[in-house]
Amino acid sequence: MAVSDDRPVSPWPALWALVVGFFMILVDQTIVSVATPALMKGLSADVSNVVWVTSAYLLAFAVPLLLTGRLGDRFGPKNIYLAGLVLFTGASMWCGLSHTISGLIIARVVQGLGASMMTPQTMAVITRTFPAHQRGRAMSLWGAVAGIATLVGPIVGGVLVDSLGWAWIFFINVPVGVVAFVLAVRLVPKLPTHTHRFDLAGVALSGLGMFLIVFGIQEGQTYHWGTISGPITVWRLIIAGVVVMAAFVFWQSRNRGEPLVPLGLFKDRNFSLANIAITTVGFSITAMSFPLMLWAQVVRGFSPTRAALLLVPMAVLSGVLAPWSGRLTDRVHPRLLAGIGMTAFPVSLLWLSRVMSPSVPIWQFLLPVALLGIANAFMWSPIGTTANRNLPIHQAGAGAGVYNTTRQVGAVLGSASIAALMQAQLVSHLGKAAGGSAESFAGASGKLPAALGSGFSTAMGNSLLLPAAVLVIGLIAVVCFAVPRHMSQTHVKEEEPAPASR
């Protein structure tokens, strides 16, 4: 085990340094949604191919998270974070230089791998350097960054696409990545490391299972939910993915070494429920962006910037309220705070689905968007803090890895599912007018003819009902949160965070 000196170091500068990179990688989850029409036109791609630009990133992001959390424990969160930041920044340059949709998708896979190395280290540093009774304040910053980043991604993307072109939604990461690297080198402390064995069989099973499920869901409409090639059908692919994931869980329960997912973590009630809740949040945040941005640009004829600015009330309210919500997390039962957010989120999506029409006054559209901001302010920090608050320090990396994995798995499934549903809805409402397929319609550019606006609006509005329904599961989970240990009178003082040095 590596030994550090006993000089105390304030954890706040390190956290500020880490969230710069954390903000950048979360922005990249949603920034592509506003550039969808530009990518379709510039790379001669259809809507299914462009959604793969996001899905490939999310898949490469999600699968290694269980392993990269352990890598942080073994080699130090600072070292793994810096390595991931270099990979992410270089891949961002590659993305911007891509001239084909396939080249862009490959570059996004590499970018996702870099992001997967960075993300668990942020939460692990919070868990390992802040005592339990102060983690709510730290997580308020983490939660504000997570919520705002996923909301302002489309706004930043819109401005960049309009002013400089779609490649700059990736080029912008290069200077930000350099700044983040310098800050991390100077401010992030070295923490004690722990020896780990790595479950490579678990990585292979989880990666294969996720890919089969995501590919089957996202490409199902393309193959009319039938045969892909020879004996391979869409449904056989999805079922095979489920079977492989079941084998992964079975292997984790039988692995007597160090399983990728320590199932013992789930003995903590709040950890289990928080993982369910954040999966639904990841699903819905990702899924909602595509219908909203396509509707704004295709039906209303807004530029990418103007379409993205529709989300300003959401970003502003989330940014203002998230720190206050985070501070309350140390004193108020998490089921109350998270319950507010998890109730407001599906209500806002249902509201949006009903008002999306070719002629709706913009102020009527902005009201449910503002409610989305309130929802986000009361979700990220309470759920994230509750997930890991009760875990012992030595399981910080594993807990952060599992939590971030479930969030990203939700995002991957959200991206794949919304792509399939949007295509199905477009075929249902615009099949004849679009030449009989969603793809032939999606290849069009510019504002949709007025005669087709109503059908397209209905298709996009109906698509929002899927993430709204999924969020009900998350709401049930947070309502069942138990009182955190630090709020219990019988709580025994936990192990103090280890001293750190730079």
Side-chain angles (χ1 to χ4, degrees):
M1 178 183 295
V3 179
S4 59
D5 63 44
D6 294 329
R7 178 168 56 91
V9 176
S10 170
W12 286 102
L15 182 56
W16 277 106
L18 289 172
V19 297
V20 173
F22 184 54
F23 179 87
M24 178 176 63
I25 62 180
L26 287 181
V27 164
D28 261 54
Q29 290 189 203
T30 56
I31 200 170
V32 173
S33 62
V34 75
T36 298
L39 287 170
M40 288 161 54
K41 182 179 180 180
L43 299 176
S44 300
D46 61 35
V47 68
S48 179
N49 288 333
V50 171
V51 172
W52 267 111
V53 174
T54 296
S55 293
Y57 172 78
L58 294 174
L59 195 59
F61 192 160
V63 171
L65 278 173
L66 294 170
L67 179 63
T68 55
R70 296 298 186 85
L71 288 173
D73 284 343
R74 175 63 182 85
F75 298 105
K78 179 175 183 175
N79 293 331
I80 299 303
Y81 175 87
L82 290 173
L85 181 57
V86 171
L87 187 62
F88 183 93
T89 304
S92 296
M93 176 65 76
W94 181 6
C95 288
L97 295 173
S98 299
H99 298 292
T100 64
I101 191 68
S102 58
L104 178 57
I105 290 172
I106 294 171
R108 287 282 278 174
V109 168
V110 178
Q111 195 183 36
L113 291 173
S116 74
M117 297 173 68
M118 297 167 62
T119 301
Q121 316 317 326
T122 306
M123 186 176 288
V125 168
I126 292 174
T127 305
R128 295 177 64 180
T129 60
F130 287 87
H133 65 279
Q134 293 182 2
R135 285 178 202 156
R137 292 178 58 203
M139 287 301 297
S140 70
L141 174 60
W142 184 92
V145 169
I148 294 173
T150 55
L151 303 179
V152 305
I155 298 174
V156 174
V159 173
L160 291 173
V161 170
D162 273 344
S163 58
L164 298 172
W166 66 262
W168 280 89
I169 67 176
F170 302 111
F171 287 150
I172 192 65
N173 290 333
V174 177
V176 176
V178 171
V179 171
F181 187 90
V182 173
L183 290 175
V185 168
R186 292 177 58 87
L187 299 176
V188 176
K190 294 180 181 178
L191 295 170
T193 58
H194 307 278
T195 301
H196 284 294
R197 288 178 290 175
F198 299 105
D199 182 10
L200 298 181
V203 174
L205 286 171
S206 60
L208 177 61
M210 281 298 302
F211 175 78
L212 292 174
I213 293 171
V214 170
F215 185 89
I217 293 174
Q218 187 158 316
E219 296 297 315
Q221 184 65 32
T222 301
Y223 295 100
H224 306 289
W225 300 97
T227 300
I228 297 176
S229 178
I232 302 175
T233 67
V234 171
W235 287 109
R236 286 177 182 174
L237 210 62
I238 295 173
I239 292 170
V242 172
V243 170
V244 172
M245 291 304 294
F248 166 72
V249 174
F250 178 78
W251 166 242
Q252 298 305 287
S253 69
R254 292 294 184 269
N255 187 344
R256 300 307 178 193
E258 289 197 50
L260 203 59
V261 178
L263 297 182
L265 292 173
F266 292 94
K267 292 180 181 178
D268 182 84
R269 174 176 165 181
N270 282 355
F271 181 80
S272 299
L273 293 172
N275 274 273
I276 293 172
I278 201 63
T279 301
T280 67
V281 171
F283 182 106
S284 303
I285 284 287
T286 303
M288 75 175 190
S289 300
F290 290 102
L292 291 179
M293 291 298 101
L294 281 173
W295 173 81
Q297 293 182 60
V298 174
V299 175
R300 298 304 295 260
F302 291 171
S303 67
T305 299
R306 191 178 177 191
L309 288 176
L310 292 174
L311 302 180
V312 165
M314 177 168 58
V316 170
L317 281 172
S318 179
V320 170
L321 295 176
W324 178 68
S325 169
R327 288 191 293 271
L328 286 178
T329 302
D330 285 331
R331 305 190 301 271
V332 178
H333 199 304
R335 77 162 60 122
L336 175 61
L337 296 177
I340 293 173
M342 296 299 288
T343 300
F345 200 170
V347 169
S348 61
L349 292 180
L350 180 62
W351 190 354
L352 280 168
S353 73
R354 298 305 92 188
V355 302
M356 286 170 64
S357 69
S359 59
V360 61
I362 293 303
W363 69 268
Q364 291 186 19
F365 182 85
L366 294 180
L367 291 176
V369 170
L371 184 59
L372 277 172
I374 297 173
N376 276 271
F378 285 90
M379 292 188 310
W380 294 98
S381 181
I383 296 174
T385 305
T386 302
N388 277 9
R389 196 191 290 271
N390 292 342
L391 298 183
I393 296 299
H394 70 276
Q395 289 186 322
V402 171
Y403 180 82
N404 283 288
T405 297
T406 56
R407 176 171 58 84
Q408 288 305 122
V409 166
V412 172
L413 295 176
S415 176
S417 299
I418 203 67
L421 183 57
M422 285 192 302
Q423 289 189 39
Q425 285 291 311
L426 287 171
V427 169
S428 175
H429 294 280
L430 290 172
K432 292 180 180 180
S437 70
E439 286 80 359
S440 60
F441 165 76
S445 60
K447 185 176 179 180
L448 189 71
L452 304 179
S454 179
F456 192 96
S457 297
T458 300
M460 296 299 101
N462 289 346
S463 297
L464 290 177
L465 297 178
L466 174 63
V470 169
L471 283 165
V472 174
I473 300 173
L475 173 60
I476 294 171
V478 301
V479 167
C480 295
F481 277 155
V483 177
R485 290 178 188 170
H486 81 287
M487 296 177 66
S488 172
Q489 294 181 352
T490 60
H491 173 58
V492 178
K493 186 176 180 180
E494 68 163 340
E495 173 186 356
E496 289 297 322
S501 64
R502 290 194 179 94

